[in-house]
Amino acid sequence: MSSAGQASKVPPRKRAKSTKKDKEDATGEPAPKKPRTASKRKKTDAAKQQVVWPEYFNDVSDALNTVLAFCSSRKHLATTFPVVRSSVEALLKQPLDLSKVAELKALLPDTIKFGYTPRDQLLIHASSSREKSPDFSLSPSSSRLNPSEAEEDHVLILDFLDATRGKKATHTQHTLAPPPSLSPEAVKKLIEKRNERFAAAVDELLQATPPSEDPVLLLQAAAREHIPVNPSATAKTAPDGKRKGKDREVPRWEDRPSIDAIITEIEHEEWYKNQIVERRVFDARQGQIAPLDPPLSDPIQHALKASRGITDLYTHQVSAIGALAKGRDVIVSTSTASGKSVIYQVPILRYLEEDGAATALLIYPTKALAQDQKLALEKLLGACSGLEHVTIATYDGDTPQEARRAIRDTVSVVFTNFDMLHTSILPHEDLWRRFLKNLKIVAVDELHYYSALFGSHVALVMRRFRRVCAAVGNRRIRFVSCSATISKPGEHMRAIFGLDDVEEITEDGAPSGRKDFLIWNPPPMDEVDPSLGRHSSLGEATGLMRALMKRGVRVIMFCKIRKTCELAMKTLRQDLSAEGRMDILNKVMSYRGGYSQEDRRKIERDAFSGHLLGIVATNALELGVDIGVLDAVIMLGFPISIASFRQQAGRAGRRARDALAVLVADSLPIDQHYVAHPDELFEKGVKDLVLDLESKPILEAHLQCAAHEMPLRGEDEVWFGRLTRELCEAKLRRDQEGWYHVHPKYLPFPAKHVSLRGVEEERYVVVDVSRDGREGRGHVVEEVEVSRALFELYEGGVFIHQGLTFVVQEVSHDSKVAKVIRSDVNWITEPRQPAGADALLRNIDAVQTYRIREIRGSDQRAYFGRKFLFVQVLNAAYRNKKILDAVDLDTPPWQRETTGAWIDVPKPVLELMQDRSINVAAAIHSATHAFLNRFAMGADLRTECKVPEKEYKVSESARKRPARLVFYDIPGKGGAVAAKAFDHVSDVLRDAEAAVDSCECEEGCAACEYFPSCKEGNVVSSKLGALLILKSILKIPIDADLISDHYGDPDEAHQTIVEASQVRAVDGVEVEGATP
C-alpha cells in the first residue's frame, strides 16, 4: 500500500443536485386558490416566476411546519404520522394524503424524516410523564391508530432532522430534570427558519427545471419513491412487480457484482451525496512462485493441496522455509494475506516427520488469532499421512486447569501468548522439560504488535525463555516471526528476541486482487444551511455497510472503542429490522473485548466458516485473522495510526479477489486532516517501532522473575544486558556463592507481581435478570473493568451488548454485580455536563514533587513526582439525538495514584494569550500533545485532555485548572515511561517546538500537535497557542507585536486556566542539571 506507483487515483463521480426528472407525469391535482412563486431571496427567469403552485402545497407545508415545530419544542413527543396527521388535518380542514407529505420529502430529502421505525424504538423514558400532542381535530378519535395499525411492529414517523435547542429548566438536589424546551419565541423562529428553507428548495427546483417541463409534475413524480413502505407487511411488491424487503435474496458470494460495479451503483443511489472524496485503485498483482530445494515430501505436498489448495509456494515462502532449513532465524515482513503462516507450518510438519517427539511453540497476540491458526494447522495435520495422530492445543487463560497437565505431557504443538509464557510456562519450567528439550521451532506472529512498553516486557520475557531453554540443553531452536510491512523488520526482531543475526525477507511474492480504497466524508445535513452540521459518521458507515451486504459483499466494520462498536450494531439491528431484512441481520454480529469465552468462540466459529455476512468489531480482529472470505473493510473513524489503517484495510481481499477498503471520516480534526491530505495514508512511511530495554523498573522486574526460574549470576548479562550486575547487586538477594536470588517481597510467585500489559483491573459482572427476577441468578452477559463500569453501569443507565439494549436495574459496588433487564429502548445514556457544574470530574493533580530538572537554555524547570487521578460521574443524560432527561448520579469515584511529570507555563505567556484572547486550555492541550508526539514512547503516556463542552461552553466555568503541561504513566502499567520522558525533557521540548514551528499547516495537524490517542478527539486545539507556550518554556524570543489580535477582545470570565502554584517537594530534593 505504501507504494504510490501501484495505485491510481480515481476522481469521484458527481451527481446532479436537481430533483429527478425521468419519472412519468402525475395527474389529478385540485385547482389552485392562489399562486406560490419563488422566494424573494433569489431571482429566477420570468417563466419560473409565474409557476403557480397548488393550493394544498402551500397549506400542507405551513400546517406541517407549525405542528412539527410544536413537537420539536416538546422533546418527549414522538412525532408519529397518525398523531401529526390529525392535527394537520384539523388545520387544513381536509384529509392529508401520504403523497402530499412525500412531495415535501422529495423537496427536502435530507431535512425531513418520513419513514417507518420499529414500534419498540419509540419507548421514551417510561418513568416520565408524557405530554400530549396538540390535537386540533374535530373528532377525538381521528388521531388514534386503527386496530390494524396498532398491531403492527413498525410506526410511521414524520419529523424534521434539524437540531433544536432550548433552555434547560433549573432543578435542585437529585431529581430528574425536565428536558430542554423551546420558548414561544424560539418556536416562532424555528417555524420561520424552516419556511425559509422550504422557499429556498422551491427556488432550487425552479432554477433546475427546463422551460419545457412542469416543476409541479416533476416533483409529484419524484415523490413516489418517498412514499414509505411498511416493513410489517407480509408482502412488499414494488410498482415494477419485484419483491422488496425480507423476500429479496442476497446474492451468493460467488455471484456478487464486482467492487467497481458496486461503487458505480452506490454513486447513482438517491442517498449518495458525493461522500467519496478520494478513491485509489491498486491493480491486481500476479503471484511469483519458485521451487523449494530440497522439495517437500509427498505427504506434506498432498496435505497442502488437500487442506489449503496449495500446489506451489510463493517466492517469499520458499526463501523463508529454505533459510530455516539452513539453521537461520527469519523474519518475514510482507503484505497481509500473503500466506505467511505457511512459513512456519511447513517446517513444523518437516520436524514432526523427522522426529515424532519434536515440539513447536506458536505465540500470538490475541486469542482469536490463536484459535484461527489452530484450526488451520489441525486441517493440515489431518490431511498429512503419518501425522494424523499429532496433537495440538491452545494454552491460554481460557484453558481449564484440569486440561493443562495433559497439554504439558502429550501435546506436540502449543498455541499460546506471551502472558502465559510469562506467568505459567516459565515459572513452572520443570513441568515443561519434555516440551522444552524437544522444542524445534518458535514462531511469533504479528511481531509489529510488540512495541513500546508492552514490547519491552515481551523482549525480556523472550530472553528469559531462551535462557531457560539453554539451561535444559536446547540451543538448537529456530526462531521465526511474521509481521505486516514495517520499517526495519530485522532490527526489530533482533531487539525482541535478543538475537545477533536474523535473515530479513521483505520481497512479497503473493498475488493480490484489485483493491479499491475510498475516503468517505459524511455530507452536510443541508447544503443550504451549514449550521446543521454533517450527517453522523456512524449513520453513514452503517448505511454503507447495509448497502454492501445487500449486494452480497461480506463486510467487517472496525470501530475504535467498544461503545461505538455496540452503537453501530444497535443501529444495524434497528435499520435492518425496519427494512424487514432479518435474513441479513441474522448474519451480522459484533465482536469486542469483554464478551464471555462461549460468546467469543461462537462468533469466531461463525466468522472463520464464512457464515457471517457482516462483523462489527474493535481492533480485536485487526490482526491477521483469516475471517472467511471478507470482501470489504469499513473503518469508522481514523484508526489511531497509519500502520493500523493499513493493517485493518488488509483484512479484506484475502482470497486474491477484488476488495474494498473505506475510511468513513469522523468530524474530528485528525480525520478531516486525512480527508484533506489523503496522500499521507498511502505514501507516508510508518514510524519505527521502539523498545526500552534499559528501563530499570522493567528490567528489575524481569530479573526477579528470572532469578525465581533459575538463580542469576553476573554472567547472565549476556541475556539481559549491561545493567544486569548493577540491578542484581541493588535489588536481588545474593548468597555466599555469588548467586542472586529473588527478593523476598516478590515471593512466592514473582510473575504475579509483574504484568506485561498493566495490572489487571477488577471487573463488574453484568447479569441479565430479565427472566429470573431481581433475586434470580440470571445469565452473565459480560464482565466490565472498573474504569469503564463507573461510566457505563449506573441505575437507570442503558447498557448495550450485541446491539441489544439493557436497562441497569441495580448496581452493587461492594460485590461488583450489575443486574440488567432486557428492554428495547431508543435512547442511550452518557455522562454529560449540566449547567454550572462538571458532570464528569476528571482531575489529574500533582501532589508531591520527587525530582526537579533544569531545561537546557532556560530558567524554567521540569518536575517529576506523584500524581493523583480522581474521576467521578455526577450527571447522566438520556439521549436520542436530543436530550430527553438528565439525572444526577451518586456513584463512587475512580481514584488511582501514579507517577508523572509536569512543566508550569510561564506567567508572561499566560498574560499574552489572555490579552490576545487565545484559549489557554487549548494552547496547553496542543503543546502537551506536541510533546507526546515527539517522545518515542508517548503512546504509553496520558495527559489531561481538555473537554470541548467545558472549554468552549458559553457560561463561565467555576472549575479552574493549573496552567501546566502534564503527562503521566497509565495507572497500573508501570514501566516508568514518564520518568524517561522527564530525563529527556529538554530534547523532546526542542523537537516539539521545531515540529510545530516548521509545520506548514494553519490550525494544527497529525504531524505537529494532533495526538492520536486524545480522548477528546483533539477538538480543543490551538497551534499558535502551543507554539507560544513551547517557545516561552525554552526561552525562545516571542515578538508579541506579530501576533494577530483578530481573536477578539479578552474574556477572562471564560478562561478555565489559572496560574500554577508550587507543588510540595519531598525533603532533600535537588535540582538536576539539564541533559547536554
Side-chain angles (χ1 to χ4, degrees):
M1 283 178 53
S2 60
S3 176
Q6 295 179 345
S8 58
K9 293 184 66 173
V10 181
R13 298 179 176 90
K14 302 293 183 182
R15 296 181 70 249
K17 297 178 182 177
S18 58
T19 308
K20 289 187 177 181
K21 302 170 189 169
D22 56 348
K23 305 293 182 183
E24 57 186 5
D25 294 343
T27 58
E29 301 302 336
K33 280 185 181 178
K34 60 182 180 180
R36 174 117 179 192
T37 60
S39 160
K40 295 180 181 180
R41 295 182 296 107
K42 294 184 180 180
K43 294 183 180 180
T44 59
D45 55 56
K48 301 284 173 37
Q49 294 278 2
Q50 299 304 315
V51 173
V52 177
W53 288 90
E55 169 198 357
Y56 75 83
F57 201 74
N58 305 322
D59 296 338
V60 168
S61 170
D62 294 339
L64 278 174
N65 193 359
T66 300
V67 173
L68 290 174
F70 180 87
C71 292
S72 295
S73 71
R74 300 295 185 267
K75 308 286 182 165
H76 281 122
L77 297 182
T79 54
T80 62
F81 182 67
V83 171
V84 174
R85 169 189 263 174
S86 66
S87 298
V88 173
E89 287 177 344
L91 294 175
L92 294 175
K93 302 299 189 290
Q94 60 179 326
L96 176 64
D97 294 333
L98 286 176
S99 60
K100 313 308 179 192
V101 183
E103 291 173 17
L104 285 176
K105 171 69 174 176
L107 195 63
L108 299 169
D110 296 324
T111 307
I112 293 177
K113 177 181 180 181
F114 189 41
Y116 284 91
T117 192
R119 178 178 295 277
D120 56 24
Q121 294 302 315
L122 288 182
L123 300 175
I124 305 289
H125 218 327
S127 62
S128 302
S129 59
R130 292 183 52 179
E131 301 181 57
K132 293 182 179 180
S133 301
D135 191 350
F136 308 106
S137 61
L138 301 176
S139 171
S141 63
S142 63
S143 65
R144 299 177 183 174
L145 293 171
N146 61 47
S148 62
E149 289 175 311
E151 296 172 358
E152 292 179 347
D153 296 331
H154 294 78
V155 178
L156 183 57
I157 294 294
L158 173 61
D159 200 1
F160 277 85
L161 296 177
D162 52 357
T164 56
R165 298 180 181 178
K167 293 184 178 179
K168 185 177 185 297
T170 59
H171 63 288
T172 59
Q173 299 178 350
H174 298 283
T175 59
L176 280 175
S181 59
L182 296 180
S183 64
E185 295 79 10
V187 173
K188 182 179 178 181
K189 289 182 180 179
L190 181 62
I191 293 174
E192 292 174 352
K193 180 180 178 181
R194 290 173 174 175
N195 279 337
E196 289 178 2
R197 180 65 192 94
F198 171 76
V202 171
D203 288 347
E204 188 177 353
L205 174 61
L206 292 176
Q207 289 180 327
T209 305
S212 59
E213 305 233 24
D214 184 344
V216 179
L217 298 180
L218 288 173
L219 184 61
Q220 292 167 353
R224 293 173 185 170
E225 290 194 356
H226 292 281
I227 297 177
V229 177
N230 190 345
S232 299
T234 56
K236 305 172 184 67
T237 305
D240 58 4
K242 294 181 179 179
R243 306 283 280 183
K244 290 187 175 182
K246 62 183 180 181
D247 296 324
R248 182 186 300 173
E249 292 186 0
V250 175
R252 296 189 308 166
W253 178 75
E254 297 83 0
D255 301 329
R256 71 159 174 83
S258 68
I259 293 297
D260 184 59
I262 290 173
I263 294 174
T264 301
E265 286 182 26
I266 288 174
E267 289 177 322
H268 287 86
E269 289 281 0
E270 184 177 355
W271 49 266
Y272 179 73
K273 306 293 181 185
N274 299 321
Q275 289 99 321
I276 299 175
V277 296
E278 182 73 14
R279 181 178 178 185
R280 300 284 176 100
V281 176
F282 287 76
D283 294 329
R285 182 183 66 212
Q286 295 295 321
Q288 303 294 321
I289 62 174
L292 183 64
D293 185 24
L296 299 175
S297 67
D298 290 340
I300 294 179
Q301 292 186 45
H302 175 268
L304 288 170
K305 182 177 180 180
S307 66
R308 306 278 286 276
I310 296 174
T311 57
D312 297 290
L313 296 176
Y314 303 126
T315 52
H316 66 280
Q317 295 172 330
V318 169
S319 298
I321 295 171
L324 287 168
K326 295 176 183 177
R328 306 268 296 173
D329 300 313
V330 177
I331 181 170
V332 180
S333 179
T334 54
S335 62
T336 55
S338 56
K340 291 190 285 289
S341 59
V342 172
I343 290 165
Y344 53 81
Q345 289 172 349
V346 165
I348 290 174
L349 266 60
R350 277 182 158 178
Y351 286 129
L352 289 169
E353 281 187 329
E354 296 170 0
D355 179 5
T359 60
L361 185 67
L362 308 183
I363 302 174
Y364 300 91
T366 66
K367 296 175 182 177
L369 185 53
Q371 289 292 327
D372 175 38
Q373 292 299 317
K374 176 175 175 287
L375 291 174
L377 186 58
E378 280 179 336
K379 293 179 180 178
L380 190 59
L381 286 168
C384 189
S385 177
L387 297 181
E388 302 92 340
H389 65 285
V390 172
T391 57
I392 66 177
T394 55
Y395 189 81
D396 57 28
D398 293 337
T399 304
Q401 288 291 334
E402 59 271 17
R404 297 189 177 191
R405 178 174 180 178
I407 292 173
R408 292 193 299 264
D409 294 344
T410 63
V411 166
S412 298
V413 183
V414 169
F415 295 76
T416 190
N417 51 55
F418 277 108
D419 303 273
M420 293 299 289
L421 187 62
H422 164 61
T423 60
S424 185
I425 297 177
L426 288 176
H428 304 287
E429 53 85 20
D430 56 318
L431 302 178
W432 286 84
R433 292 280 173 89
R434 174 202 68 89
F435 188 89
L436 296 177
K437 286 181 177 180
N438 294 289
L439 188 60
K440 303 296 184 183
I441 185 170
V442 174
V444 179
D445 204 2
E446 307 290 349
L447 193 69
H448 61 277
Y449 184 81
Y450 306 102
S451 66
L453 183 59
F454 181 43
S456 303
H457 278 290
V458 163
L460 290 168
V461 171
M462 181 55 73
R463 284 159 173 74
R464 287 163 48 199
F465 174 77
R466 291 181 56 227
R467 174 175 176 260
V468 166
C469 290
V472 299
N474 189 351
R475 295 177 178 268
R476 305 173 303 281
I477 304 172
R478 296 276 62 83
F479 296 94
V480 57
S481 60
C482 302
S483 171
T485 304
I486 57 175
S487 63
K488 304 175 183 177
E491 180 179 317
H492 189 58
M493 182 175 177
R494 286 192 290 273
I496 289 286
F497 286 75
L499 299 170
D500 295 327
D501 189 23
V502 171
E503 183 153 337
E504 178 182 294
I505 297 172
T506 58
E507 189 74 24
D508 192 347
S512 65
R514 165 183 163 135
K515 180 168 284 189
D516 285 77
F517 287 84
L518 305 179
I519 298 180
W520 185 283
N521 204 24
M525 293 287 292
D526 191 328
E527 292 184 0
V528 177
D529 188 359
S531 66
L532 297 180
R534 292 181 175 270
H535 286 271
S536 76
S537 56
L538 188 147
E540 289 287 304
T542 54
L544 178 60
M545 186 172 180
R546 295 197 325 270
L548 292 172
M549 291 190 296
K550 290 173 185 176
R551 291 167 170 82
V553 177
R554 298 188 177 184
V555 191
I556 184 169
M557 180 193 297
F558 284 111
C559 305
K560 288 185 283 189
I561 60 176
R562 297 179 182 184
K563 185 172 183 178
T564 304
C565 179
E566 291 295 353
L567 288 175
M569 186 66 207
K570 181 176 184 286
T571 303
L572 286 169
R573 189 178 294 279
Q574 291 176 0
D575 293 344
L576 289 170
S577 62
E579 295 172 352
R581 297 311 300 263
M582 303 305 295
D583 57 325
I584 296 178
L585 180 56
N586 291 334
K587 295 184 177 181
V588 182
M589 298 193 78
S590 57
Y591 185 98
R592 59 170 176 79
Y595 286 173
S596 66
Q597 177 185 350
E598 294 77 15
D599 286 347
R600 288 201 312 270
R601 295 294 178 265
K602 180 183 183 304
I603 298 169
E604 289 163 6
R605 285 194 300 269
D606 287 344
F608 302 155
S609 66
H611 170 72
L612 297 181
L613 193 57
I615 304 173
V616 183
T618 57
N619 61 0
L621 290 181
E622 174 182 312
L623 299 173
V625 180
D626 188 359
I627 314 170
V629 283
L630 281 178
D631 303 304
V633 168
I634 297 175
M635 291 164 275
L636 178 49
F638 177 69
I640 304 299
S641 68
I642 290 178
S644 290
F645 166 81
R646 295 173 183 171
Q647 185 75 12
Q648 291 182 7
R651 292 304 97 211
R654 297 176 65 85
R655 293 289 187 272
R657 191 176 177 184
D658 61 338
L660 172 67
V662 185
L663 170 62
V664 178
D666 278 330
S667 59
L668 300 176
I670 197 164
D671 290 61
Q672 294 303 312
H673 168 79
Y674 288 113
V675 168
H677 303 88
D679 288 347
E680 294 183 15
L681 292 173
F682 305 98
E683 300 171 6
K684 188 175 182 180
V686 296
K687 292 183 178 180
D688 292 343
L689 301 179
V690 178
L691 300 176
D692 185 4
L693 299 179
E694 295 193 348
S695 169
K696 290 185 177 181
I698 299 176
L699 182 55
E700 183 217 333
H702 286 279
L703 287 175
Q704 300 285 359
C705 295
H708 185 253
E709 292 149 12
M710 293 186 303
L712 289 163
R713 299 194 69 172
E715 291 77 6
D716 281 314
E717 64 184 3
V718 67
W719 302 108
F720 301 109
R722 62 183 182 86
L723 296 176
T724 303
R725 291 178 183 271
E726 174 188 338
L727 289 174
C728 284
E729 286 288 342
K731 301 294 183 180
L732 276 71
R733 181 175 56 85
R734 188 175 185 270
D735 65 19
Q736 295 180 348
E737 297 180 0
W739 293 93
Y740 295 97
H741 302 268
V742 61
H743 192 281
K745 72 176 182 179
Y746 283 89
L747 294 173
F749 301 111
K752 299 295 184 182
H753 296 272
V754 182
S755 176
L756 305 188
R757 305 172 193 257
V759 176
E760 186 172 345
E761 293 187 61
E762 291 184 282
R763 295 171 179 261
Y764 280 67
V765 178
V766 182
V767 181
D768 179 10
V769 295
S770 303
R771 297 181 179 179
D772 302 275
R774 183 182 292 265
E775 302 301 329
R777 295 183 59 188
H779 166 69
V780 176
V781 176
E782 64 176 273
E783 296 182 351
V784 181
E785 299 89 342
V786 169
S787 57
R788 288 180 51 232
L790 297 180
F791 307 104
E792 298 181 12
L793 297 174
Y794 39 81
E795 293 182 9
V798 175
F799 186 79
I800 310 177
H801 175 87
Q802 277 293 331
L804 300 173
T805 52
F806 298 79
V807 175
V808 181
Q809 182 188 55
E810 178 185 340
V811 179
S812 171
H813 297 293
D814 293 330
S815 60
K816 292 185 171 50
V817 174
K819 295 181 179 180
V820 299
I821 296 177
R822 174 78 179 91
S823 180
D824 288 312
V825 296
N826 76 327
W827 69 84
I828 61 173
T829 51
E830 59 184 23
R832 69 178 293 271
Q833 181 170 330
D838 288 311
L840 186 63
L841 284 178
R842 188 189 298 272
N843 288 348
I844 296 96
D845 293 319
V847 294
Q848 194 169 34
T849 302
Y850 295 160
R851 298 171 62 192
I852 305 174
R853 181 179 288 279
E854 294 178 344
I855 296 174
R856 189 168 59 248
S858 172
D859 57 0
Q860 296 298 119
R861 300 287 185 265
Y863 303 87
F864 177 84
R866 181 163 58 94
K867 285 188 167 292
F868 180 71
L869 278 67
F870 179 92
V871 184
Q872 185 171 21
V873 180
L874 299 178
N875 188 275
Y878 294 77
R879 177 187 297 275
N880 183 5
K881 297 184 179 178
K882 308 168 185 176
I883 294 177
L884 303 173
D885 274 318
V887 60
D888 292 338
L889 301 175
D890 183 16
T891 59
W894 185 74
Q895 304 177 70
R896 292 292 185 274
E897 283 195 359
T898 185
T899 53
W902 62 94
I903 307 165
D904 292 341
V905 177
K907 184 176 180 179
V909 79
L910 280 178
E911 295 173 343
L912 173 62
M913 289 189 290
Q914 290 170 350
D915 182 64
R916 296 295 194 270
S917 290
I918 297 173
N919 188 297
V920 178
I924 291 174
H925 195 204
S926 295
T928 310
H929 282 176
F931 181 95
L932 294 176
N933 280 338
R934 307 311 297 178
F935 179 55
M937 297 183 69
D940 285 311
L941 293 176
R942 293 294 180 266
T943 186
E944 187 177 52
C945 287
K946 306 301 183 182
V947 182
E949 289 79 7
K950 175 178 182 290
E951 307 302 341
Y952 293 147
K953 74 177 183 179
V954 177
S955 59
E956 180 181 358
S957 174
R959 179 168 168 260
K960 309 293 185 180
R961 301 295 298 148
R964 56 172 53 116
L965 278 60
V966 173
F967 44 92
Y968 59 91
D969 291 309
I970 300 172
K973 262 202 160 185
V977 180
K980 181 76 68 173
F982 172 80
D983 289 337
H984 296 84
V985 65
S986 296
D987 292 334
V988 178
L989 280 170
R990 293 192 176 277
D991 288 347
E993 188 276 334
V996 176
D997 195 24
S998 62
C999 190
E1000 297 180 355
C1001 71
E1002 294 184 5
E1003 299 294 336
C1005 68
C1008 59
E1009 51 99 0
Y1010 289 168
F1011 187 50
S1013 300
C1014 177
K1015 290 187 176 181
E1016 301 300 332
N1018 298 284
V1019 174
V1020 180
S1021 172
S1022 172
K1023 179 184 178 182
L1024 174 58
L1027 187 59
L1028 293 176
I1029 288 176
L1030 292 170
K1031 285 182 179 293
S1032 67
I1033 292 173
L1034 293 167
K1035 286 300 177 183
I1036 298 175
I1038 299 172
D1039 189 344
D1041 295 333
L1042 297 179
I1043 301 174
S1044 172
D1045 59 0
H1046 70 274
Y1047 288 91
D1049 297 328
D1051 184 3
E1052 295 182 4
H1054 291 88
Q1055 293 287 357
T1056 61
I1057 302 296
V1058 296
E1059 184 180 359
S1061 58
Q1062 198 74 19
V1063 178
R1064 178 176 59 90
V1066 296
D1067 294 337
V1069 174
E1070 297 183 359
V1071 178
E1072 304 171 27
T1075 53

